[in-house]
Amino acid sequence: MPNITLSAVSKSYGGGDHAVKNLDLVVPDGAFMCLLGPSGCGKTTTLRMIAGLEQPTGGTIAVGDRVLDCVERGLYVPPEKRGMGLVFQNYALWPHLSVRENVEFGLRMRKVPAPERRARAEAALKMVHVDAAMDRYPSQLSGGQQQRVALARMLAVNPSVLLLDEPLSNLDARLRLEMRAELKRIHEESGATIVFVTHDQLEALTMATDVAVMSDGELQQLAAPMDMYARPANRFVAEFVGSPPMAIVDVGPSPAGLAGSLLRHVESRGAPERPGGVGIRPEALRFGAPPASAWREEALVEAVLPAGSSWTVRLRILDAELYALSYTPVEAAPGDVLTCWTDQLHLFGADGARMSSWDAAEVRA
């Protein structure tokens, strides 16, 4: 399957605000691409345009040299001729058909001979580990099993692209974890190109090979998951990706308190220009004796929140409240004063964009 390419794609409804604005995006062959963002950011609309369920109001969508949509040329390929499979948030299984019959349904519509249809359905069910339930009905399955059947139905028709629209959002926490691992395994075994829509950053970070973060219909950053986490392109990505989120301290014209302390530190470490904001991830805040190159301040402990495998600590540092995340027990109580430090700061310009020139300064530090 060649790359899926979206060039200057836009979508508006009734001439109003754009759901998607001038989107340029390439989904590489064999990638597991996650479209990530808050509700209303345009990710589902983008997926539906790739599927052919929505037509763009501007731009071009192509698979390799084959153009699927081109507003300028008046070209449009209907969904059934795009060779793509779509799994919705709702499983959309036929209640009166058995699991096997549900998986065979798409093959039946394509007039695949019965012996081949049966073999392909059984192979798809085996891939998603529901082959033992193939003679049951959907009402006899758990939510996780029904979602696997919906996936098997798409895999059975052997689509070149699998499009998933928040398919895990109806599952409980344990099943979501299980299905993340299953989807990753299916991707590795099938080699299919997957485009996955989610607002859950954990799903994107754990499953995807590439993550496209969207906001207000615009692409904010496209990168590998951990590259995006380590070097967010702008303040929106920095604050959206991460839990607890990155704290960004605004640096005004005459910074005082925490902002002044951070500004003095980055200037002393050779920041090439004055930042508009300084970001600190909670897990990058540490306690105890700091290295010489690190920023440090005294912090008042306001609360210690244990969560089993981690501890979240609410701190008052000068005039600001920050959160620290520790994966080792924090021996402190509210009212204690600890030395808090970090050697991982993120700088953002006045326009909100990441100051990439600071990365070299971080290395020198």
Side-chain angles (χ1 to χ4, degrees):
M1 179 70 182
N3 296 348
I4 303 171
T5 304
L6 285 71
S7 302
V9 170
S10 297
K11 177 66 178 180
S12 62
Y13 296 94
D17 292 338
H18 281 77
V20 177
K21 307 171 189 175
N22 201 36
L23 176 63
D24 291 317
L25 181 66
V26 175
V27 183
D29 177 28
F32 193 137
M33 170 78 75
C34 269
L35 303 181
L36 175 66
S39 298
C41 71
K43 56 188 185 295
T44 293
T45 301
T46 299
L47 187 84
R48 290 174 63 84
M49 287 192 290
I50 294 172
L53 301 179
E54 301 269 4
Q55 291 183 256
T57 50
T60 301
I61 300 175
V63 176
D65 295 329
R66 184 189 180 205
V67 177
L68 303 180
D69 286 286
C70 182
V71 177
E72 187 177 293
R73 295 161 56 189
L75 294 177
Y76 168 70
V77 175
E80 65 273 14
K81 295 183 179 180
R82 297 194 177 202
M84 301 180 182
L86 181 61
V87 177
F88 295 96
Q89 180 177 344
N90 186 327
Y91 316 131
L93 300 177
W94 296 106
H96 63 291
L97 300 180
S98 69
V99 166
R100 186 206 311 271
E101 290 168 336
N102 264 284
V103 176
E104 289 183 2
F105 184 81
L107 300 171
R108 189 185 297 274
M109 294 298 99
R110 289 165 173 78
K111 303 188 184 304
V112 174
E116 181 185 351
R117 192 168 67 225
R118 185 181 183 90
R120 287 170 64 175
E122 290 180 1
L125 285 166
K126 190 172 184 179
M127 179 176 284
V128 298
H129 298 170
V130 198
D131 49 312
M134 64 176 64
D135 294 321
R136 299 181 191 173
Y137 289 89
S139 61
Q140 298 173 299
L141 304 181
S142 68
Q145 288 174 316
Q146 290 184 51
Q147 188 59 272
R148 292 175 191 230
V149 173
L151 283 169
R153 182 176 54 192
M154 289 296 99
L155 293 169
V157 300
N158 195 27
S160 52
V161 177
L162 191 57
L163 307 175
L164 309 176
D165 187 7
E166 301 203 51
L168 310 185
S169 59
N170 289 336
L171 306 181
D172 61 36
R174 182 173 179 176
L175 284 175
R176 285 168 73 97
L177 178 62
E178 184 179 312
M179 284 304 301
R180 285 178 200 141
E182 282 298 300
L183 282 172
K184 196 160 187 173
R185 180 185 63 81
I186 289 168
H187 175 251
E188 291 169 353
E189 290 185 2
S190 68
T193 301
I194 296 179
V195 183
F196 185 101
V197 164
T198 183
H199 64 273
D200 187 325
Q201 55 176 298
L202 188 58
E203 289 181 1
L205 292 174
T206 55
M207 294 191 298
T209 59
D210 304 273
V211 179
V213 178
M214 299 182 67
S215 176
D216 294 329
E218 297 181 319
L219 180 65
Q220 301 296 313
Q221 185 173 4
L222 173 61
M226 297 317 296
D227 289 342
M228 175 174 295
Y229 190 83
R231 287 179 169 76
N234 54 44
R235 290 183 62 152
F236 175 83
V237 177
E239 294 177 312
F240 187 78
V241 179
S243 181
M246 179 187 292
I248 299 182
V249 181
D250 290 314
V251 178
S254 302
L258 180 58
S261 173
L262 289 167
L263 180 61
R264 288 190 295 273
H265 174 75
V266 298
E267 288 179 339
S268 72
R269 301 307 305 171
E273 55 185 297
R274 182 189 178 95
V278 180
I280 307 173
R281 288 213 180 273
E283 66 272 21
L285 275 176
R286 298 166 189 166
F287 305 108
S293 61
W295 167 84
R296 86 285 313 265
E297 282 289 351
E298 297 299 298
L300 174 67
V301 176
E302 294 189 335
V304 179
L305 310 172
S309 61
S310 63
W311 287 257
T312 301
V313 185
R314 189 175 70 199
L315 304 167
R316 172 66 55 176
I317 304 178
L318 299 175
D319 60 344
E321 182 180 274
L322 294 182
Y323 285 88
L325 183 64
S326 173
Y327 295 99
T328 58
V330 177
E331 303 297 337
D336 290 350
V337 176
L338 304 176
T339 298
C340 187
W341 62 273
T342 185
D343 55 3
Q344 300 174 40
L345 297 174
H346 301 258
L347 303 192
F348 301 92
D351 60 353
R354 180 180 185 83
M355 291 173 55
S356 58
S357 55
W358 170 252
D359 295 339
E362 287 181 304
V363 173
R364 289 199 305 272

